[in-house]
Amino acid sequence: MDNQVWARDPKQFFISLFEAAVAAADPERTIRAFLPQKPKGRTIVIGAGKGAAQMAAAFEKAWDGPLEGAVVTRYGYAAPTERIEVLEASHPVPDQPGLEASARMMSLVENLSEDDLVVALVCGGGSALLPAPAGSLTLEDEIAVNEALLASGAPISAMNTVRKHISRIKGGRLAAAAHPARVVSLVVSDIPGDDPALVSSGPTVPNNATRQDALAIIEAYGMKLPERVMQHLQSDEANAPLPDDSCFSRNEVHVIASAARSLEAAAKLAAEQGLKAHILSDSIEGEAREVARVHGAIAREVAANDRPFQRPALILSGGETTVTITGKGGRGGRNSEFLLGLSLEIEGHDGVNAFAADTDGIDGSEDNAGAFADGTTVARLRAAGHDPKVLLARHDSWGAFDAVGDIYAPGPTGTNVNDLRAILIT
C-alpha cells in the first residue's frame, strides 16, 4: 500500500487496518505454535464458534497424525475440511440443529481413556451454537434466556456467566465429560480481558463464577426469565464445576489470538505509513452510544488542541460494547450504533474520519461488519431526509449508514476477536 493512503483515502485505509487485524487472528498463522503433544491413543477434535470451521481446517493442515471430530459454526460460515465434520446452527438465537450439535460434541468425548487427547477449538459465538438445556429445561427456555440477555445491555462476561449455569455443556462441563482424557483448548478470544473461561461460555474451561453470581446478574439487569429457569438457578443442579476439580488437572488452555494482538497489528500498519497510532484499550465495554460520546470527546480535543495526541493521529480501541434495546429494535449492531452516536459527536469537524466493525464480519442483525463515518455523516443523513437522533433512538444504525452508502460488508472472516474501532484525525 502507498504511503499516507490515510490522508488520501480514509475508507481504504480503514479497510487495510481491518484486514491487518483479522490477519493477526488468522488460525492458519496462529494455531501451529500451540499444537499439543501427540497422544498414545486417539485424537478427538471438537469446537464451536463463528470461526470454528476455519480453525478446524487450519488444525487439519498442521496436524500430521490421525484425528477425528466435529465442530459447529454459524449458518454460512462453514469451511472445507477433510477429517473434521463441520456442523451449522443458528446464531445469535439457538435452534434445534445447535441442540443436535451439542449432543454430537458430548458423544465424541464419551468413554475416552487417559491415553486419548481432546483438542477443543473455541472462539466467539459458541454460546448460541451449543444449546444444551440442563435438567428439565427446554430449548425454548434457553432461547428465552438468550433473547433476554441480548436485550439486557449486560456485558458479554455477565451474559456467559448466566448461560453456563443453565447448560449441560458450558462452564467446563464438556471437558469434564471427556475425563480422563487430556483436553487442550485453543481459544480465539472475543472477550474483553481475554479470560478463556468466558469465550463461548467456556465449554472446556471452568471458572469460579457461581449460580449466585448468575442470579445477581439477572437481578441487576432486570431480566425476566421463565420461572423454570429461575427455579433451576436456585437449585444445586445449576452448580458448575470449579477450576480446582481434579478432572481438569491434566488440561491445558491457550489463547492463540486476541483483540490486543489484532490492535497491535493495525497500529503497526499505521506506523509503516508514517501515522502514529494510540491504542486506548483492547477491553472497552459499556453502552455503544456512551462509548461513542467518550471517543467523540477525545477526537474533538485532538482536532482542536492537539491533546492528548498530536495530529495526525489514529485512535484505536477494541472490546465489546452493548446495545440495550428500548422499545421495538431497529436494524443494526453495536459497531454501527457506536458510529451513529459518534457521528453526532463529530458533526461538522473536518478531518475526522471513523470506522468500527466486528472482526467476525457480521455486526448485529444484518450482513455488514460495521460502517464508516466522518464529520459530514449527520449532514448527509439530514439531506437524505433522516433524523440521526431518531434513528439512534430506534437503534436503526444499519438504516442510517445504508442511507448514506457507508456500510462495510466484507462477509464472514473466519475469526472473531471482538470489535475494531478506529478514528483518524488529520
Side-chain angles (χ1 to χ4, degrees), residues 330-347:
R331 299 170 299 170
R334 59 183 184 265
N335 286 285
S336 48
E337 176 141 332
F338 164 85
L339 276 179
L340 185 54
L342 182 70
S343 298
L344 291 163
E345 299 298 320
I346 61 173
E347 179 183 2

Side-chain angles (χ1 to χ4, degrees), residues 51 100 124 126 254 264 310 352 387 418:
E100 294 166 2
H254 303 284
E264 288 161 5
Q310 286 193 333
V352 179
D387 186 332
N418 255 326

Side-chain angles (χ1 to χ4, degrees), residues 15 49 51 75 78 88 120 122 131 140 156 182 211 225-226 248 279 314 333 371 390 407:
I15 291 171
Y75 293 124
E88 292 182 286
V122 183
E140 288 68 31
I156 188 65
R182 181 167 60 102
R211 62 183 175 86
L225 303 184
F248 303 123
I279 299 174
L314 176 67
V390 170
I407 288 289

Side-chain angles (χ1 to χ4, degrees), residues 376-388 391 399-405:
T376 71
T377 298
V378 167
R380 288 185 287 127
L381 277 169
R382 290 178 177 140
H386 299 283
D387 186 332
L391 291 172
F401 289 106
D402 182 60
V404 293

Side-chain angles (χ1 to χ4, degrees), residues 22 36 64 72 112 131-133 155 176 184 189 207 209 255 297 303 376:
V22 168
D64 62 2
V72 59
L112 298 180
V184 175
S189 174
N207 72 0
V255 175
T376 71

Side-chain angles (χ1 to χ4, degrees), residues 134-178:
S136 62
L137 300 180
T138 65
L139 178 61
E140 288 68 31
D141 291 327
E142 193 157 347
I143 290 172
V145 170
N146 214 54
E147 290 176 337
L149 289 169
L150 291 172
S152 70
I156 188 65
S157 56
M159 287 196 272
N160 288 354
T161 294
V162 175
R163 285 167 170 152
K164 82 167 195 171
H165 286 97
I166 62 164
S167 174
R168 291 183 293 106
I169 199 168
K170 300 178 176 72
R173 292 180 178 88
L174 183 55

